[in-house]
Amino acid sequence: MGSQLAGIASEGAVMASQVRTRRKVVCAVVAGVLAAGSPVAFESSSASAADTSTSANAVIVWDRNAQSAIWDVAGQQPQVQARSFAMVHGAVYDAVNAIAGRRYQPYLVAPATNGRESVDAAVGTAAFQVLSSLFPAQQVRLQTQYDEWLATIPNGGAKRGGISVGSQTAAAMISARQDDGAFGNPAWPVGTEPGQWRPTPPTNANDGAWVGTLKPFLIPSGSMFRSSGPPALTSEQYARDFNEVKAIGAVNSPIRTADQTQAAIWWHDRHLGEWEIKRQLARTQRLNTLQTARMFAMVDLAEADATTACYNEKGAWMFWRPVTAVQLADTDGNPATEADPNWMPLLVTPPHPDFTSGHTCFTAASMLALKHFFGRDDIPFSAYSEASGTTRYFASFSEAIAEVIEARIWGGIHTRTADVEGAKIGAKVTAYMIENYFRPRR
């Protein structure tokens, strides 16, 4: 047993060296997708109705309110949350941008304004009406929240004007998302051949297939960034991916460090750290209401489409998860893999295929949208996770992308190729957004 553990430790040291090298390569690959673009630092706006408010930043307040409806009450999973947040912040952005004089391309509409409308009223109205359409069962709670918000705004023409603008942008969003494919057939086809996905223990659940055919918010098609797929089962790349996740992603892995375990759990928290990161950056970077609305819309709509593109990819390849691959390795035809019928990952495997990783698609899209918005990579941020009981700190947006790629392997639920290819898809979605949406009009 001692010699066996020594061998595992030696293997772990080699693997750790390989991981450090791979992280550098991943950062370069993902950042390179946006190299052709020209990041523009966020603008300092002159004073206007959209730059000031009578209370705390209304966009941050209603993002928290949206989180309460989407997660705290409804308990939507990340692939569903993405659509809900995108709808809220697309409508909020259009309202604030219209009152600011249409400084940026509108997402859907730009209602006529005189610039004196209450931004607080517009933001609250847009968010409330979208949330009410999404969660009719929460109508009483949401109405009370909205009424209390409006009570803080002085009565008069500005308030009435803001309510009108917010109502118009919310109506445009609700209309645009009618029959968008949400909540359709939730089941993935179940395979029986080597490499094909099937439900995984302990839940054996099957859910979320509709996300891959959801109407995108930004990109023309969910399949536009199709990859070449996962490595062949008999390839050396597959064996490397397999043996890495088998060794470090096992529930009882002797080579995974305590920090790696915490990172895996932190990134797996369904109460996403990205929510707090977005709000934290709006505060620490002193964004005004217009800047916040634009940043939140860019991040949330890119995240939503990256999620759709990722799930479309999952449906195209239907590749098995590590837990299935390890337990059934004696069927894969690869002499460099060895089955362990009792192997289980650190984390509970989500109920959908491995390739590509939804979280790396999502995180790459959001972090690169932030990098573009601020015009730099090296802005520090952090967020706390109740699931891990820890706060993780990042020195840059690319550092977060690099860590989530590793964290899904450390958790035993994704292979490295699925993570890297997912990050590439997220980066491509953000690059498309940068070229086509939310651009300055003058």
Side-chain angles (χ1 to χ4, degrees):
M1 178 65 72
S3 61
Q4 182 180 5
L5 290 176
I8 291 173
S10 176
E11 177 186 351
V14 172
M15 188 173 294
S17 176
Q18 292 173 338
V19 165
R20 286 192 293 271
T21 301
R22 286 170 180 167
R23 288 183 68 172
K24 293 178 182 177
V25 172
V26 167
C27 288
V29 169
V30 175
V33 176
L34 293 185
S38 53
V40 179
F42 64 93
E43 299 176 2
S44 296
S45 304
S46 57
S48 75
D51 300 331
T52 59
S53 72
T54 58
S55 61
N57 188 319
V59 180
I60 295 177
V61 170
W62 278 92
D63 183 74
R64 288 199 191 95
N65 292 343
Q67 178 187 317
S68 294
I70 293 166
W71 171 249
D72 298 342
V73 178
Q76 288 188 340
Q77 293 300 297
Q79 68 273 15
V80 189
Q81 297 165 8
R83 173 180 179 266
S84 300
F85 274 107
M87 287 181 65
V88 169
H89 283 296
V92 166
Y93 162 77
D94 272 350
V96 178
N97 186 51
I99 296 173
R102 305 169 187 82
R103 295 186 193 177
Y104 302 96
Q105 294 171 317
Y107 171 59
L108 291 176
V109 293
T113 62
N114 59 26
R116 295 188 294 275
E117 295 84 356
S118 166
V119 173
D120 284 357
V123 169
T125 301
F128 162 71
Q129 292 187 5
V130 170
L131 289 170
S132 295
S133 75
L134 289 168
F135 306 107
Q138 297 185 43
Q139 180 61 40
V140 173
R141 186 189 69 80
L142 289 168
Q143 185 69 56
T144 299
Q145 190 175 62
Y146 177 58
D147 290 345
E148 291 174 351
W149 175 256
L150 287 184
T152 67
I153 304 170
N155 292 326
K159 182 176 182 177
R160 291 191 297 273
I163 291 172
S164 175
V165 171
S167 295
Q168 292 176 69
T169 62
M173 178 61 75
I174 294 166
S175 176
R177 302 311 299 183
Q178 288 292 320
D179 302 318
D180 66 357
F183 312 110
N185 179 13
W188 304 91
V190 176
T192 57
E193 297 298 316
Q196 293 180 343
W197 179 84
R198 71 284 315 265
T200 56
T203 63
N204 293 308
N206 182 335
D207 188 42
W210 60 266
V211 179
T213 56
L214 183 70
K215 174 186 173 183
F217 285 83
L218 305 171
I219 60 178
S221 167
S223 63
M224 72 177 295
F225 298 125
R226 178 73 73 239
S227 76
S228 58
L233 295 182
T234 55
S235 68
E236 292 182 6
Q237 179 62 55
Y238 176 78
R240 285 194 297 270
D241 283 353
F242 174 99
N243 287 312
E244 178 182 30
V245 72
K246 181 184 179 184
I248 202 166
V251 65
N252 57 352
S253 172
I255 65 172
R256 187 180 55 245
T257 68
D259 183 68
Q260 289 169 340
T261 298
Q262 289 180 353
I265 297 170
W266 190 96
W267 281 104
H268 199 58
D269 193 341
R270 305 296 85 179
H271 182 290
L272 299 184
E274 280 92 340
W275 303 334
E276 176 53 34
I277 289 166
K278 188 175 60 176
R279 295 192 291 255
Q280 181 184 111
L281 289 168
R283 293 190 299 268
T284 61
Q285 303 305 303
R286 302 178 182 275
L287 302 190
N288 60 39
T289 310
L290 173 60
Q291 292 165 341
T292 306
R294 180 169 175 254
M295 186 261 274
F296 281 26
M298 292 172 75
V299 169
D300 285 0
L301 272 71
E303 288 173 343
D305 276 10
T307 303
T308 293
C310 168
Y311 275 61
N312 192 282
E313 191 82 352
K314 288 177 183 289
W317 302 108
M318 293 301 300
F319 201 60
W320 62 9
R321 285 280 185 163
V323 63
T324 311
V326 174
Q327 292 184 1
L328 301 181
D330 55 349
T331 70
D332 65 19
N334 194 320
T337 66
E338 182 178 345
D340 180 349
N342 298 314
W343 190 91
M344 289 294 288
L346 169 68
L347 304 174
V348 174
T349 302
H352 35 75
D354 171 65
F355 191 91
T356 55
S357 164
H359 212 130
T360 64
C361 286
F362 183 97
T363 301
S366 63
M367 294 299 151
L368 292 170
L370 290 167
K371 176 182 176 181
H372 170 79
F373 180 84
F374 291 109
R376 52 185 287 206
D377 185 44
D378 60 339
I379 297 179
F381 55 90
S382 63
Y384 174 78
S385 162
E386 289 186 0
S388 67
T390 60
T391 298
R392 297 199 73 78
Y393 299 87
F394 303 92
S396 67
F397 303 121
S398 60
E399 184 178 293
I401 298 172
E403 183 171 275
V404 72
I405 287 171
E406 304 301 328
R408 307 312 268 169
I409 304 165
W410 298 334
I413 58 173
H414 277 300
T415 61
R416 180 170 295 279
T417 299
D419 288 347
V420 171
E421 293 302 317
K424 289 179 182 178
I425 288 174
K428 290 175 182 177
V429 169
T430 294
Y432 185 90
M433 177 197 69
I434 289 168
E435 290 300 316
N436 294 281
Y437 291 90
F438 307 114
R439 298 173 68 86
R441 296 184 67 195
R442 59 176 184 270

